[in-house]
Each structure stands twice: as C-alpha cells, then as structure tokens.
Amino acid sequence: MENQSDNLDGLFQALADPTRRAVVSRLGRGPASVGDLAQPFDMALPSFLKHIRLLEKSGLIRTHKEGRVRTCEIDQRTFHEVEDWLEQQKQIWEGRTDRLERFVTGKDRV
Amino acid sequence: MENQSDNLDGLFQALADPTRRAVVSRLGRGPASVGDLAQPFDMALPSFLKHIRLLEKSGLIRTHKEGRVRTCEIDQRTFHEVEDWLEQQKQIWEGRTDRLERFVTGKDRV
DNA sequence: CGATTGGTTTTCCATTTGGCTAACTTACAT
DNA sequence: ATGTAAGTTAGCCAAATGGAAAACCAATCG
C-alpha cells in the first residue's frame, strides 16, 4: 500500500523545534515574508532561513519568490499525515481491528 | 495560564524516529518487556534502551521493573498534548477567534 | 548610478543524536 | 554455587542539528 510521501520522520522532526512551531503558528494566520517571520526571533537571518528551508522540505510550508522577497505559506494538507498517524495509534489502543488497523500492522508507516 | 508539562519539543522529538514510533505502535497493543520490544530491531540492546529511555522521558510511555524485567506501557494521556497542539493550529487556519485561539496567541505553547 | 533592502551562500563551531562494544549487575534456574 | 538471562553503565564515534559571522547577489529606491 506504500504511502507516497511517507515522511513522518521529517514531519515530526520539523515540529520538534519551538522556532519552527512558532513559524507554523504564525503562518496559520496567513502568508508572510521571510523577513517578517524572522523579526520576532533573536537569531541571525541565515540561522532562521535554515528553519524555513527545513519546514519547506518537510512539506509543512510552501514558499515562492517574487522580486527579492520570498513569501511563505502553510500547507494544511501535510498536517493530515501527522493527524492520521496519531489517529491510527488511537485506533490501536481502542482495540479496533478494522481496515485502519490492518493498514498499520501491514507495516506501512511504521 | 502556564501549561504544567509543556513538553512539545520532547514529544515531537520522540516521535521523529521510526524505531520509537514502532515501539509506540507496538505498545498500543499492550505492555511489553524491553527485550520483547527490542526483538524486531536489528540494533544492540544498549542502543535500543536509549530509545526506551527517551520515550519515557518524553512521557509517551511509562515503565516499571519487576525482578529483572522492565515492563513498558503507553501513556495515552501524553498524546493529547500533541493532538491539542495540532487542533489549535487548525483552529487558527479556520479563523476561529474563540477561547482556544486566544490561548495560543497568549504565547503559551509557542 | 549608488545605496539599501531582502535574501542567500559559505564556512565554521559546539552540542546532540543514534549507533556500537565491553564490562557489569541482579535475578532466576539448576 | 554456578550459570544464564535481562537489563544497565560507561565509554567511544560519526553524522546531524542549531547557531554564528562574513561575504555576496539581485531588486528597488533616491
């Protein structure tokens, strides 16, 4: 059943940092430029950019450059992968043996 | 409002590793000893133990030793912290301005 | 044109992470 | 009492992570 973008490692990793979570939260209110996003943080721009790049790689955000400003926005769809995994775990505890659980035990998305 | 165990870093970090997620999945079916848990993995026991310890520190699992065997079990409650954060993010996108969003903007759980 | 703004690349550094082996400590079992 | 089974500790190591500074490039402003 191979899940196309089975990227849970990168996803959880991306969320395991307060700066990155804050960026995600901020982007939840709407798109913003790299500079705007960076402003609240006491961190050099290049350091901050690395977080942005990592978030982008994880799929949690998308970005595009227009002129000299790069705009970032959230990609809600990616959150579903995290939610789905959590949901599957709950299905397991709750002793369900329906299609969902078979999917998990099928060794997809360890 | 200070959330007592505001441990999202550790939580996401703990889940950002396939071995650890697999252990969590396995424990969803019921408690197990360290040895049993380790068995499916091609990894030395001490290496595996570190994963267990990290999961324990994150609060995702609890363990106790009886005789010479240490039994591990999942702590479902801790998952709520992750779910809650995700839920809060969704509340933000969805433009909600109710109590939940104010909680988030209140700068708790960045 | 020249200066400024918004990002970007490169290089560097300390710390953390995830793995290993070797050696040790308790329980149990015989 | 000895041996074995189940963890555990203590080092060790390579790679990844999160940060910084310096220098750079490309738009845009005056």
Side-chain angles (χ1 to χ4, degrees):
Chain A
M1 206 196 239
E2 296 312 336
N3 224 286
Q4 66 284 36
S5 65
D6 198 350
N7 187 213
L8 286 170
D9 277 32
L11 244 38
F12 281 115
Q13 187 65 50
L15 293 173
D17 178 280
T19 301
R20 261 135 34 199
R21 283 197 309 280
V23 168
V24 164
S25 261
R26 166 64 188 78
L27 289 178
R29 301 202 161 65
S33 72
V34 169
D36 286 355
L37 289 171
Q39 180 261 317
F41 300 97
D42 184 21
M43 189 184 299
L45 236 210
S47 310
F48 184 78
L49 230 218
K50 288 213 277 191
H51 289 297
I52 296 295
R53 288 270 137 90
L54 198 147
L55 281 169
E56 194 176 10
K57 207 172 86 182
S58 79
L60 286 168
I61 73 172
R62 270 167 292 116
T63 83
H64 66 280
K65 206 170 177 177
E66 235 177 284
R68 56 184 170 173
V69 26
R70 176 175 301 277
T71 305
C72 310
E73 62 186 318
I74 218 168
D75 188 342
Q76 292 97 336
R77 293 169 305 171
T78 310
F79 278 82
H80 296 335
E81 297 180 35
V82 178
E83 292 186 301
D84 286 354
W85 188 83
L86 289 173
E87 187 54 39
Q88 285 162 18
Q89 298 321 114
K90 292 210 299 193
Q91 297 295 325
I92 296 175
W93 319 330
E94 285 160 11
R96 301 281 177 86
T97 37
D98 54 19
R99 214 170 72 246
L100 249 164
E101 185 174 2
R102 262 181 277 121
F103 169 69
V104 178
T105 55
K107 236 190 67 70
D108 262 315
R109 333 177 127 240
V110 175
Chain B
M1 206 194 236
E2 295 313 335
N3 223 287
Q4 65 285 36
S5 65
D6 199 350
N7 189 210
L8 286 170
D9 278 31
L11 244 36
F12 281 115
Q13 187 64 50
L15 293 173
D17 178 281
T19 301
R20 264 145 18 209
R21 283 198 308 281
V23 167
V24 164
S25 261
R26 166 63 187 77
L27 288 178
R29 300 201 163 65
S33 72
V34 169
D36 286 354
L37 289 170
Q39 179 260 317
F41 300 98
D42 184 21
M43 189 185 300
L45 236 209
S47 311
F48 184 78
L49 229 217
K50 287 213 277 193
H51 289 299
I52 296 294
R53 287 271 138 89
L54 197 148
L55 281 169
E56 194 177 10
K57 206 172 85 181
S58 79
L60 286 168
I61 73 173
R62 270 168 291 117
T63 83
H64 65 280
K65 204 168 177 178
E66 236 176 285
R68 54 182 171 175
V69 25
R70 176 175 300 277
T71 304
C72 310
E73 62 186 317
I74 218 168
D75 188 342
Q76 293 98 335
R77 293 169 306 171
T78 310
F79 278 82
H80 297 335
E81 298 181 33
V82 178
E83 292 186 301
D84 285 354
W85 188 83
L86 290 172
E87 187 54 39
Q88 285 162 18
Q89 297 321 115
K90 293 210 299 193
Q91 298 294 324
I92 296 175
W93 320 329
E94 286 160 13
R96 301 282 178 85
T97 37
D98 54 20
R99 213 170 73 246
L100 249 163
E101 184 174 2
R102 262 181 278 122
F103 170 69
V104 177
T105 56
K107 236 191 67 68
D108 261 318
R109 334 180 125 239
V110 178

